[in-house]
Structure formats: structure tokens, C-alpha cells
Amino acid sequence: MNPLLSDWGGASEGGLPPFSMVRAEHFEPAFHVAMAAQRAEFDAIAADPQPPSFANTAAALDASGRWLGRVEMLFHTLNASRSTPELQAVQRCMAAPLAAHASWVAMHQGVFARLDDLLRRVDSLGLDAEARRLLERLHLEAVRAGARLGAAERQRCAELMQELAELNTRFAQNVMADEAGYQLVLRSEAELAGLPEFARAVMRQAAAERGLAPGDHLVSLSRSHIVPFLTFSARRDLREQAWRAWVGRGENAGDTDNRAIAQRILSLRNEQARLHGQASFADYQLLDTMAGSKGAVQGLLQRVWDAALCATERERDAVRAAALAHGATHALEAWDWRFYAEKVRQARYALDEAELKPYFPLEAMVAAMFDCAGRLFGLRFERRPGWPVYHPDVQAYEVFDADGSHRAVFLHDNFARLGKRSGAWMNALRWHRLEGGRQTPVILNTNNFAKGAPDSPTLLSLDDVRTLFHEFGHGLHGMLSETRFERLSGTQVLRDFVELPSQLMEHWIADPAVMRRHCRHWQSGAPIPEALIDRIRAAELFNQGYETVRYTASALVDLAIHSLEEEEAPDISAFERDTLARLGAPADCGMNHRLAHFQHLFVGDSYAAGYYVYLWAEVLDCDAFEAFKEAGDLFDAATAARYRRHVLAVGNAVEPGATYRAFRGRDARIEPMLKGRGLLQL
């Protein structure tokens, strides 16, 4: 029996998949059965003898493919968080067939003719705003997939999508292989020099999980390992070794080399853009965004880049001075910045990560996150330890609304481990909908925190806590959806709007009142001292130039390489190097993601020519948070209700600019974002 061919969406056990029964070999046959079912649904819609109507065409399309969607969401969840060689083999095998099916569906000429007919008559159909939005989005997505092209061009579009799917899969698996294959093992006190006990503890735990000898310490390429190591290790030679491994992912000669793969992806994307009449992939991609054009994106990035460079110059003076004070006469390199910046932070603000972390145990921060959601939106989270999960690390919660009704299922997967890709993300196993009977969502938040030892809690850095709240903001967007139609639900919005709820949620953990309420020392239970809160607040802008330069460099390189109009893409390493030189990017800062491991860009196309979206959304989230501050209470009920109603509940049922104006009463202003990054005066 194949459990993927049965219905697991009932009310028992949260409607979760039977994880323990699912095997890699179940997916390929399930995919083929589910694709055949959707093809039959599309053919039936196209063959309907009745004239096209919203119900028999647009609503029918929204209801189609749900079996396939359910299997795909489960497969991608497992392959990202509990990957095995067998699952990766299925991913490689099914990449092209799934892409071919998606193209067949998107460009189905009979279905598109009905959509086209409806859109021409849309003003006479008497549709409400959400139904009209669904029709417009279905039509636009079909056009952008190639449905309006000639037969030969449609065939070529389908071929491009199949090859791109295979390349995206290889790119992702290569990055995962490079990350899994690296081990920096520290055995002597000399190799551990400078590392505080909290860092040593997680490295001992990582070594134990990998089966290394007792007393060994392991530095992996998980961000929760590498950043503390670069920040605290007094061994400059080991910092350089770890840094080069981190930034060199995907660029190592051999089977996991991503350079030619990325180059081919870029060439195919440019061909795709030309088929659609656009000069570059960036031109094609940005048409369906809030920004709308390369010029708008470049203008925002350049304004922030120029200001960040100036801020970084001031920060560099302090970092160099700290290096000299500690006897370092060498030139400042990328593997030095975090180490000496931490010396500046300790000297200037008396902030020490070893002093901070005991006040931020993971369990307490999850409770803080849930408490904020309860105070803002009336939500209540109850653990369900008996519900099925795909790994022992995962915790399942049932989510209740203020009236006590079931709202959602929430799965929380917080720890880094082998077989799990790096980063943090939100995804769904089931989306909300009202049409055809209410379906409640199943939402996942995934992080990659370094797990603490068995006899002690996992202690988070401030950056970790912000990541926790960030992904929870995405989760709330999925859980609080109230759309009628599934394709408009939750986070299925324009890419430069989707980061608004996530980044807005980060503001609450920075609030002193929230810290006083939830941040207690994990051993003594003592609340975080007021003086420590004051020092945290005083240091908020510390190193912001450095962080902004790293992010914006990645966004500018992304935009530049996707703006090329040549048929053949260049060597990505050379292009990256030349672009950074043209921008005047400081080598001692580096960038968040180098192209050879830039999964946002090359594991799919959602963020291609779109890494700017975090900054675009930051303009929105900083301005939105001002609304709560203006209310005089960060938990003001009226403001929270307005935000829930006009942003979180509507998903993609409303154009995002109109969504924001409905909440704020006006368009967002850039000044709060610049002020938040310490760039306003520049």
C-alpha cells in the first residue's frame, strides 16, 4: 500500500501526513498518479460544453491539482529537512517530469482560451473583488508561463523549464553535499583558543552527533556554527580555513562544482525572457512585482549601498583600532572583521555574547513568540506530542483562535542536522481555503540552530532570536489567512511583499517590555537586568554598515547578472569579482551569498533578480511598525486587528499596494527603514 495514495487530510492527528509510513519509493508512483489526475481535470475543464464561467473555469482551476500539490509539499518538506540519498534520487528523477507537467498545465490551450474569454468579459461578470483577483492572477500566470506564445515557442518554453528544473536540483544537492562534507575538528586547547563555553558546548554536541571521539569539537558550515567561530576564535589561521570553506561552497572543483550549472541556468533564463519579448531575465521577472522595474530596484539598492559604504568606513576605523590594540599588524581580511568587531562591541557597549545567551534559551523564546501572537491576535498554541512528525526534533502544535476554534496546525523544526539544508524558512503542508468547505492550514517553521547538550538548553544569540521571530511572521501569514481561494492563500503573494509580515514580527523581540517579560537566565531564573537591556538597545546600530554592505552586495550582484542581455552567460566567479570591483565593495566585508552557493537564486527562480525584496519589504515593515508605536502600545488591539484584517488575512486576494494602504492609510515611507539601519543622516 502507498500511503501517498490515501487521504490523510482528516481531523484526527491534525490532518498530518503519516510520516512514519512514507518511504522514498512511494513518491514516484504517487507523482505520476497525481499528475494524471490533474491532467484529467484540465481536459475536463477545457471540454466543458457550457460557456466559460467563473465557476466552471477559474474556481475549477483553483480546485484542481490538490492531490499533486499535497504530495509535492510533503516531498519538498522531507527533501529539505530529512533528506536521504533515496529521496535525492527521486528528486533528480522527477525534476524534469514535474516541470513538463507544470508547463503542460500552465499552457493548456483549451483552458487558456476559456480564461482569456472570461478576462475579456470580466467587467460584465459581476465578480466580487477576490474572485476577480483570482481570475486575473490565473490568466497572468498562464501568460507568463507562455500560454499566449506560438506552438514552437511554447514547446521551447517547456523544454527550458525541464532543463532548468534538473539544473536547480543539481545546484541544491551540490550545496548540501559541500555543507555535509566539511568538518573542522578542534581537539586541543590551542585550537579552541578564544571560544566561549557556549560555543564549545554546541561544537562538542555536534561532534558527538557525528560520532567523533569524546572531547572533540566540530565546526560545521551551519551558520549557527560558523558565525560564532569567526566571531570568537583567536586562531586566525583556523578562522581563515573555516571562512574559505564557508564562502567556497559550490565552487570546489569536482562533482559538486556549481559554476557551470549556474552559468547554464542564467543562459536558459535569458532565453526564456527573450521568448517573452523581454531583453533580460530581470526585465521579465520584475514585471510581476511591487517594484515593477529594474530602475526602481536599482534606485533603492544604490541609495542604501552608498550610505552603507560610508557607515562601513567609520566602522572599519574602529575595527582596525581594535586589531592594533590586540597586537595585529596584518591587513584586515574578511575572516578578521567579526573577530575584531566583537572586541569593539565589548569595549564600547560592554556586551558579551557569553553574557547575553543565557537569557535567550530557545524554549523561553518560543514561549515569547507565542505570547506575542496571543496578545496581538488572540492565538493560543497547544503542544500535541502524540501527533505524527517527520523527525524527533519537530514539535507539533494545535493553534486556536480567540474564540476557541481550531485555526491551524503548526510544526516547529529548529535544529541543524545532517540531511537538512541550511538556512531558515516557512512552508506549508496544506493551505487555508473557504471555497468548497473550510480547510485549515498546516504551517511549518524551520530553523538551523545549533543544538545544546542533552543536559542543557539551546541558547540563542540575538540574531538567532530575530530569525525565530522572522520565520514565525511568515507562519502567521499562513495561519491567519481568510481567503476563499487556495491559490490566493497565505504567503502566496508577490515576492517583494512576502517579507513584510516576517520582518515586522522581528520588532517585537527587540522591545524592552517583551524582554523583561520573557528573558530570564536559564539557570537562576533571574530576569534580564535592566542595564543589559539598555546596553542591547545602545548597540542596536552597531556594525549595521557591515551587515548592510554584505546584504546589498549580494542583491546588486543578483540584479546585475540577471540584467545581462547576452545569449550566453559569463563565468559567474569572474562576473562576481568584476561587479564587486565596479561597485567598490570592500573585500574585508564580503557578501552574504556568493553566486556558486546562492540558493535563493539558483534552486528555483522565486528570488532570481529578487534578492532585493528583503530591503523593499523592510521599507514596509519599518513604516508598519511605526503604526504600532503611534498607537502608544505595541500590542494595541485596534492596530493589530487592522493589520490582521488588511494584511495577514487577505493573502494575495488584494493587490499588495492596496493591501498596505488599507492598513496604513497611505503608502510606506522610506525614512523609518533608513533610521533603523542608522543610515538616515547620510
Side-chain angles (χ1 to χ4, degrees):
M1 294 293 291
N2 187 334
L4 301 180
L5 301 180
S6 63
D7 182 11
W8 67 70
S12 62
E13 296 186 319
L16 290 165
F19 292 112
S20 63
M21 299 170 60
V22 175
R23 302 287 181 267
E25 61 266 24
H26 293 145
F27 279 102
E28 186 174 348
F31 276 133
H32 286 295
V33 171
M35 287 190 290
Q38 188 177 30
R39 286 195 295 271
E41 291 170 334
F42 265 61
D43 285 340
I45 293 169
D48 191 332
Q50 297 299 314
S53 68
F54 179 82
N56 70 21
T57 302
L61 289 174
D62 183 65
S64 74
R66 286 179 179 164
W67 191 355
L68 177 59
R70 185 178 64 175
V71 175
E72 279 194 296
M73 286 189 280
L74 175 57
F75 179 72
H76 293 314
T77 295
L78 294 180
N79 215 32
S81 297
R82 200 201 67 189
S83 189
T84 64
E86 293 78 15
L87 279 173
Q88 292 184 14
V90 175
Q91 185 183 33
R92 292 190 296 272
C93 173
M94 291 304 302
L98 285 168
H101 174 77
S103 294
W104 184 91
V105 164
M107 295 189 285
H108 193 295
Q109 291 300 281
V111 170
F112 182 68
R114 296 175 74 89
L115 284 173
D116 216 27
D117 174 73
L118 286 172
L119 194 65
R120 284 195 298 268
R121 298 186 287 113
V122 66
D123 291 332
S124 66
L125 297 178
L127 301 179
D128 63 28
E130 184 173 345
R132 180 170 183 143
R133 177 74 172 172
L134 176 66
L135 174 59
E136 291 171 345
R137 291 302 304 174
L138 288 170
H139 186 273
L140 178 62
E141 288 163 11
V143 170
R144 287 179 60 77
R148 190 168 270 169
L149 300 176
E153 288 79 8
R154 292 198 305 274
Q155 176 61 33
R156 182 56 184 153
C157 266
E159 293 168 354
L160 290 175
M161 294 302 102
Q162 291 175 60
E163 186 176 353
L164 282 167
E166 293 178 327
L167 293 168
N168 295 153
T169 298
R170 288 175 58 197
F171 189 97
Q173 292 189 358
N174 286 348
V175 175
M176 182 178 282
D178 274 1
E179 291 175 346
Y182 179 78
Q183 293 186 358
L184 174 58
V185 181
L186 311 176
R187 295 189 170 94
S188 68
E189 188 60 36
E191 292 172 331
L192 293 164
L195 296 176
E197 177 53 33
F198 75 81
R200 296 184 183 205
V202 298
M203 292 171 189
R204 281 195 302 272
Q205 178 65 18
E209 290 174 358
R210 300 278 186 102
L212 301 183
D216 284 356
H217 297 71
L218 173 68
V219 181
S220 74
L221 293 184
S222 166
R223 183 177 176 83
S224 57
H225 280 190
I226 203 76
V227 170
F229 186 76
L230 293 174
T231 302
F232 295 107
S233 175
R235 285 288 298 271
R236 188 170 188 256
D237 58 331
L238 296 180
R239 291 203 310 270
E240 179 180 1
Q241 181 182 329
W243 180 86
R244 290 192 182 280
W246 192 31
V247 302
R249 290 167 293 157
E251 203 176 39
N252 299 305
D255 291 342
T256 62
D257 192 339
N258 272 336
R259 287 171 290 188
I261 294 173
Q263 187 175 11
R264 179 62 177 164
I265 289 172
L266 292 163
S267 297
L268 294 176
R269 285 177 177 169
N270 267 3
E271 184 179 354
Q272 178 189 0
R274 290 193 298 274
L275 284 170
H276 287 278
Q278 299 298 322
S280 71
F281 187 76
D283 291 303
Y284 165 76
Q285 190 80 330
L286 292 169
L287 285 174
D288 191 28
T289 62
M290 291 185 75
S293 69
K294 291 186 299 187
V297 174
Q298 184 70 40
L300 175 63
L301 292 176
Q302 196 65 52
R303 179 173 180 180
V304 172
W305 176 253
D306 292 341
L309 286 178
C310 293
T312 304
E313 281 299 317
R314 295 195 304 274
E315 293 170 0
R316 182 178 291 106
D317 290 341
V319 171
R320 281 176 174 159
L324 288 171
H326 286 78
T329 57
H330 53 72
L332 194 66
E333 300 286 358
W335 50 90
D336 297 319
W337 187 290
R338 282 184 169 87
F339 180 73
Y340 290 112
E342 179 64 15
K343 306 298 184 190
V344 175
R345 187 171 79 142
Q346 291 178 11
R348 188 175 291 177
Y349 304 104
L351 271 185
D352 183 346
E353 196 81 0
E355 180 186 11
L356 284 174
K357 274 198 162 191
Y359 293 98
F360 297 97
L362 174 61
E363 188 174 345
M365 294 303 96
V366 171
M369 188 177 78
F370 290 163
D371 182 57
C372 287
R375 296 168 70 189
L376 286 165
F377 309 117
L379 301 182
R380 178 166 51 88
F381 292 75
E382 289 190 8
R383 276 287 313 278
R384 293 289 183 257
W387 283 3
V389 292
Y390 55 84
H391 190 278
D393 286 346
V394 181
Q395 296 187 347
Y397 297 86
E398 186 172 4
V399 187
F400 297 92
D401 222 326
D403 61 3
S405 62
H406 173 83
R407 161 57 55 180
V409 172
F410 179 63
L411 300 184
H412 215 191
D413 182 358
N414 282 316
F415 299 120
R417 58 179 175 267
L418 286 174
K420 185 177 182 182
R421 73 174 174 88
S422 58
W425 62 92
M426 167 268 188
N427 66 293
L429 283 171
R430 189 174 71 210
W431 293 110
H432 167 90
R433 70 166 186 269
L434 295 175
E435 191 78 0
R438 184 171 184 253
Q439 174 177 275
T440 56
V442 177
I443 301 299
L444 293 83
N445 271 180
T446 303
N447 296 296
N448 267 284
F449 304 135
K451 184 185 288 189
D455 57 347
S456 61
T458 294
L459 303 179
L460 303 183
S461 67
L462 282 170
D463 280 346
D464 289 336
V465 178
R466 281 190 283 268
T467 298
L468 186 78
F469 272 63
H470 177 104
E471 296 307 330
F472 189 58
H474 283 311
L476 290 172
H477 201 180
M479 288 184 272
L480 294 179
S481 178
E482 287 290 350
T483 57
R484 284 167 54 200
F485 302 107
E486 188 168 330
R487 294 191 186 202
L488 301 177
S489 176
T491 58
Q492 299 176 101
V493 299
L494 299 193
R495 187 57 62 183
D496 44 7
F497 189 73
V498 76
E499 300 297 337
L500 163 60
S502 57
Q503 294 178 179
L504 178 61
M505 198 66 204
E506 295 178 39
H507 290 272
W508 270 271
I509 194 54
D511 176 54
V514 173
M515 287 192 189
R516 293 184 197 104
R517 186 180 177 105
H518 292 286
C519 298
R520 293 181 174 274
H521 196 283
W522 75 273
Q523 289 172 308
S524 69
I528 187 169
E530 200 66 28
L532 187 53
I533 293 176
D534 291 342
R535 283 182 272 147
I536 292 171
R537 299 281 287 178
E540 279 182 344
L541 299 182
F542 172 72
N543 223 28
Q544 276 297 302
Y546 168 83
E547 297 293 351
T548 304
V549 160
R550 286 177 53 80
Y551 162 78
T552 313
S554 295
L556 286 166
V557 169
D558 163 38
L559 183 64
I561 204 161
H562 282 106
S563 296
L564 297 176
E565 300 179 9
E566 293 78 9
E567 288 190 15
E568 294 298 322
D571 174 271
I572 64 165
S573 298
F575 180 86
E576 176 186 283
R577 182 186 62 245
D578 294 345
T579 303
L580 292 174
R582 174 177 57 80
L583 291 168
D588 52 11
C589 293
M591 56 198 299
N592 275 0
H593 305 285
R594 297 193 59 228
L595 290 173
H597 58 253
F598 206 161
Q599 297 189 79
H600 286 77
L601 308 190
F602 296 116
V603 172
D605 67 1
S606 295
Y607 285 90
Y611 194 59
Y612 78 92
V613 301
Y614 294 96
L615 191 60
W616 188 277
E618 193 174 338
V619 174
L620 302 176
D621 80 71
C622 290
D623 186 76
F625 193 61
E626 291 294 308
F628 287 90
K629 294 199 293 189
E630 290 161 9
D633 179 1
L634 298 188
F635 295 93
D636 177 67
T639 308
R642 194 168 70 249
Y643 173 65
R644 176 174 178 170
R645 181 172 65 253
H646 291 300
V647 178
L648 298 177
V650 301
N652 201 13
V654 180
E655 185 276 322
T659 293
Y660 190 82
R661 288 189 291 274
F663 163 64
R664 195 70 170 101
R666 56 168 174 76
D667 288 326
R669 295 170 180 153
I670 194 173
E671 287 77 14
M673 181 275 286
L674 295 173
K675 181 180 179 182
R677 285 184 174 263
L679 306 177
L680 186 60
Q681 71 272 25
L682 303 173

